[in-house]
Amino acid sequence: MAQEIERKFLVSGDFSPFVTRRERIVQGYLCADAERTVRVRICGDKAFLTVKSATVAGSWSRYEFETPIPTADAEEMLKLCLPGVIDKHRHWIEAGKHTWEVDVFHGDNEGLVVAEIELESEDEAFAKPDWVGDEVTHDPRYYNSALAQLPFTKFSSPNRTS
């Protein structure tokens, strides 16, 4: 089984000098509930169908299954998705043996910038760059599936982090 161990952080500084690659991502959700999500994603000229489980309580782990699909199929499937499409640019940053993925959101999530790092184990050490801010791994508001339903610009807190 494919397992994802991911940590998520707000970005609080300038990461742009470290970017090695950038792609636009558009994604929608065929299913987005507390137990699972089924996502359709177009990233550049490639497309994927992804199924993710809920995060295991008290951990950073969850199951993830991702399958490439034809881009034309993904474009049609996006029309079947729940309301609220995620539109963002992803930036990849190499840092030692890890790759940080920094998402700069557009549309209703404009102003949100999130960095993610995937780990091999939950206790794996990693260097946190200066531009990485507060951790939001366990804040469900920052899941992309949640942002599709309740965008960042609609968060009730003035600083949008609490």
Side-chain angles (χ1 to χ4, degrees):
M1 294 196 133
Q3 193 166 26
E4 171 186 68
I5 302 169
E6 182 178 80
R7 306 267 303 265
K8 188 178 289 208
F9 301 83
L10 297 176
V11 171
S12 61
D14 183 13
F15 63 90
S16 60
F18 311 104
V19 174
T20 59
R21 185 169 70 112
R22 177 180 184 252
E23 290 274 0
R24 180 174 181 225
I25 294 175
V26 176
Q27 66 190 41
Y29 291 86
L30 294 165
C31 172
D33 61 36
E35 298 302 316
R36 74 206 49 81
T37 60
V38 180
R39 174 184 75 204
V40 177
R41 171 183 278 177
I42 299 173
C43 180
D45 62 353
K46 296 180 179 160
F48 305 90
L49 184 64
T50 305
V51 178
K52 290 188 179 193
S53 71
T55 302
V56 177
S59 76
W60 297 304
S61 302
R62 64 181 167 178
Y63 293 107
E64 178 183 71
F65 305 92
E66 186 166 80
T67 303
I69 60 174
T71 303
D73 288 355
E75 289 168 349
E76 290 301 312
M77 292 171 81
L78 281 171
K79 296 174 186 175
L80 302 173
C81 288
L82 299 166
V85 172
I86 297 291
D87 185 3
K88 61 188 179 180
H89 274 91
R90 173 160 290 169
H91 305 78
W92 285 266
I93 298 170
E94 303 302 323
K97 71 175 198 169
H98 295 103
T99 300
W100 286 88
E101 296 175 346
V102 178
D103 290 340
V104 177
F105 289 82
H106 307 295
D108 287 340
N109 288 297
E110 189 73 37
L112 179 60
V113 183
V114 174
E116 298 176 351
I117 186 169
E118 288 197 25
L119 304 172
E120 292 181 20
S121 67
E122 292 199 12
D123 60 354
E124 181 179 357
F126 62 93
K128 189 173 151 187
D130 292 340
W131 45 265
V132 173
D134 294 337
E135 185 164 9
V136 293
T137 301
H138 291 297
D139 187 338
R141 297 179 304 165
Y142 291 96
Y143 297 168
N144 281 271
S145 57
L147 291 167
Q149 296 173 38
L150 179 62
F152 178 69
T153 57
K154 306 282 191 235
F155 284 14
S156 59
S157 173
N159 67 8
R160 299 186 183 146
T161 59
S162 57

